[in-house]
Amino acid sequence: MKQQINLYVKKVKQRVPFSARICLVSVLTVAALLVAGSVLTTQGLGALRQDVADLKRHKSELEVKTDTLLTQKRPRQESSALRLQHDQLAEKLVDQQRLSKLLVRLAPQGSGVFSPLLKGLSEQALSGVWLTRIQAGQSAAVIALQGNARSADLIPKYLKQLGQAEAYQNAHFDQFELGEADTGLQFKVSGSRTVGGGA
């Protein structure tokens, strides 16, 4: 009987444990995720930097436009017509206050001399004519009016209109003075008034 010796040695393949393979895959996956996250973060930072740069550029453009508008903005100019009207109204107010004080001083309490004269003046007021002074004697037989008018044609019109008032129907103005003033013309009329005919 022959004895045979088998010299073939079966190679045993060493297997890597399953858990080590999973660990390797996990490490590789995490590394890939980290790389991807880093790439995305870098892209996000780049986008943010671009947005910041755009905002800075927009801010600079707005500042330039603001400076241009401030340079081009014209200062508000005062209207010469409104200033003239304001000055005339202020002057008229001062004249009226002066006239009121004058009347208080000239007409003592209880005196009825001035009441019909003033009533006539107030009823026959004419736009463009204003009085600055009124003089009358104690009995109002002698009267003088001084004032301003914007044009010469308003003065006779005013005196004619004043003659329609009851207190001035018997008044005769025989002295007339006319001169220039800052607001037009200055006039002064004086005369006598027949007392008893409307006083």
Side-chain angles (χ1 to χ4, degrees), residues 68-85:
T68 304
L69 288 175
L70 287 175
T71 304
Q72 292 176 349
K73 184 180 177 184
R74 297 177 180 174
R76 186 176 294 176
Q77 294 180 351
E78 188 179 69
S79 170
S80 56
L82 287 177
R83 170 52 63 187
L84 179 62
Q85 187 178 7

Side-chain angles (χ1 to χ4, degrees), residues 28-131:
L28 291 175
T29 304
V30 169
L33 288 174
L34 287 174
V35 170
S38 175
V39 169
L40 289 175
T41 303
T42 304
Q43 290 177 350
L45 286 174
L48 285 175
R49 287 193 187 100
Q50 184 63 39
D51 290 343
V52 170
D54 291 342
L55 287 173
K56 285 182 177 179
R57 188 175 66 255
H58 187 60
K59 179 186 175 186
S60 299
E61 290 174 357
L62 287 177
E63 287 175 349
V64 170
K65 287 180 180 178
T66 303
D67 291 340
T68 304
L69 288 175
L70 287 175
T71 304
Q72 292 176 349
K73 184 180 177 184
R74 297 177 180 174
R76 186 176 294 176
Q77 294 180 351
E78 188 179 69
S79 170
S80 56
L82 287 177
R83 170 52 63 187
L84 179 62
Q85 187 178 7
H86 173 272
D87 293 343
Q88 289 174 348
L89 290 174
E91 186 176 345
K92 192 172 183 180
L93 178 62
V94 169
D95 290 339
Q96 288 175 348
Q97 290 172 345
R98 189 183 306 140
L99 178 61
S100 176
K101 290 178 184 177
L102 177 66
L103 293 176
V104 169
R105 196 171 73 239
L106 290 177
Q109 238 178 352
S111 172
V113 173
F114 279 99
S115 61
L117 295 177
L118 293 179
K119 184 180 178 186
L121 290 173
S122 64
E123 289 175 350
Q124 303 301 327
L126 180 65
S127 178
V129 177
W130 60 97
L131 297 177

Side-chain angles (χ1 to χ4, degrees), residues 135-157:
Q135 288 178 302
Q138 195 65 24
S139 62
V142 178
I143 58 174
L145 304 175
Q146 184 175 339
N148 293 60
R150 291 218 177 105
S151 61
D153 60 317
L154 291 175
I155 300 171
K157 185 178 179 181

